[in-house]
């Protein structure tokens, strides 16, 4: 694996992902609206998980999916329930839940490449948040089976699949986000 301290100094602040042998540049940085949505969602996960076994991490947080292709990703939010997967540089192994907030530069990768990789790697639940249409698609993966996502609108409440008593009112997530992505 290629950890940051092994990189030359000029690459220290670059962000990238490697999926199925393809390296993706993660610049430019996300917009204010994107980060506001990530912050709102992370706050909901953090509050719910406080004092519980699982932990949530916002980006930038490295995830090595630990499979044959040495896939490395940086989801917007990563939830991990197996503490042995948490290392000083990030997550080594498959997280339980992953959230990606779409940006114009990453939407196709998030909806196509990452959706496939997360499913094949064994991620249990994958959320794709669309800030433009104020929608959230929730994919539940079991035994690598692809099913239609549950789709939630801007005034609906997500009832999570992994955590039975977690509910997230999307009005609190999309509220006040007037900036363009």
């Amino acid at each position: 694996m290629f950890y940051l301290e092994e990189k030359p100094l000029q690459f220290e602040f670059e962000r990238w992902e490697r999926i199925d042998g393809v390296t993706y540049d993660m610049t430019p940085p996300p917009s204010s609206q994107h980060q506001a949505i990530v912050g709102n969602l992370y706050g909901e996960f953090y509050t719910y998980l406080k004092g519980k076994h699982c932990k949530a991490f916002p980006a930038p947080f490295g995830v090595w999916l630990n499979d044959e292709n040495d896939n490395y990703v940086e989801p917007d939010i990563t939830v991990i329930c197996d503490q042995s997967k948490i290392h000083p540089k990030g997550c080594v192994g498959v997280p339980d839940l992953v959230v990606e907030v779409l940006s114009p530069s990453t939407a196709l990768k998030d909806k196509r490449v990452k959706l496939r990789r997360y499913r094949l790697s064994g991620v249990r639940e994958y959320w794709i948040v669309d800030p433009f249409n104020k929608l959230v698609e929730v994919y539940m993966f079991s035994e690598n089976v692809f099913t239609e996502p549950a789709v939630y609108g801007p005034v609906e409440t997500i009832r999570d699949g992994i955590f039975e008593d977690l509910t997230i009112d999307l009005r609190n997530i999309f509220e006040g986000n007037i900036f363009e992505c």
Side-chain angles (χ1 to χ4, degrees):
M1 286 185 204
F2 192 66
Y3 292 103
L4 281 176
E5 63 263 14
E6 297 171 357
K7 288 182 155 188
L9 186 57
Q10 74 257 28
F11 297 114
E12 186 174 346
F13 299 107
E14 289 183 7
R15 292 183 50 228
W16 52 273
E17 295 179 309
R18 185 175 44 245
I19 306 168
D20 296 328
V22 177
T23 301
Y24 297 90
D25 183 2
M26 294 182 59
T27 54
S31 70
S32 298
Q33 180 190 35
H34 178 280
Q35 291 303 91
I37 291 170
V38 169
N40 290 344
L41 269 172
Y42 173 72
E44 295 283 337
F45 281 109
Y46 176 83
T47 300
Y48 173 77
L49 294 171
K50 191 170 184 154
K52 294 183 172 70
H53 186 68
C54 301
K55 300 292 178 210
F57 298 90
F61 182 77
V63 176
W64 286 265
L65 293 171
N66 205 21
D67 53 24
E68 67 280 355
N69 294 316
D70 198 27
N71 290 294
Y72 169 81
V73 292
E74 284 191 13
D76 289 311
I77 299 172
T78 306
V79 177
I80 305 162
C81 295
D82 179 350
Q83 300 293 309
S84 71
K85 294 179 181 179
I86 300 171
H87 295 265
K89 292 291 180 183
C91 174
V92 177
V94 179
D96 295 276
L97 188 147
V98 172
V99 177
E100 297 285 3
V101 178
L102 300 179
S103 295
S105 62
T106 65
L108 189 58
K109 178 180 65 167
D110 292 342
K111 291 182 73 74
R112 185 182 292 166
V113 177
K114 284 186 162 184
L115 173 67
R116 178 180 180 278
R117 177 47 43 209
Y118 290 147
R119 178 179 56 85
L120 292 175
S121 296
V123 170
R124 294 171 53 197
E125 191 168 327
Y126 177 39
W127 295 20
I128 298 176
V129 180
D130 180 344
F132 306 104
N133 297 304
K134 296 186 177 182
L135 299 172
V136 178
E137 299 174 17
V138 176
Y139 293 86
M140 297 296 299
F141 302 131
S142 63
E143 299 179 23
N144 194 15
V145 175
F146 183 85
T147 59
E148 291 295 319
V151 180
Y152 297 89
V155 297
E156 294 185 293
T157 298
I158 295 177
R159 297 193 190 322
D160 186 67
I162 294 177
F163 309 108
E164 294 176 4
D165 56 343
L166 171 62
T167 59
I168 297 178
D169 184 342
L170 291 179
R171 287 177 286 225
N172 297 330
I173 304 307
F174 294 117
E175 177 181 284
N177 292 307
I178 58 174
F179 305 105
E180 292 297 316
C181 276

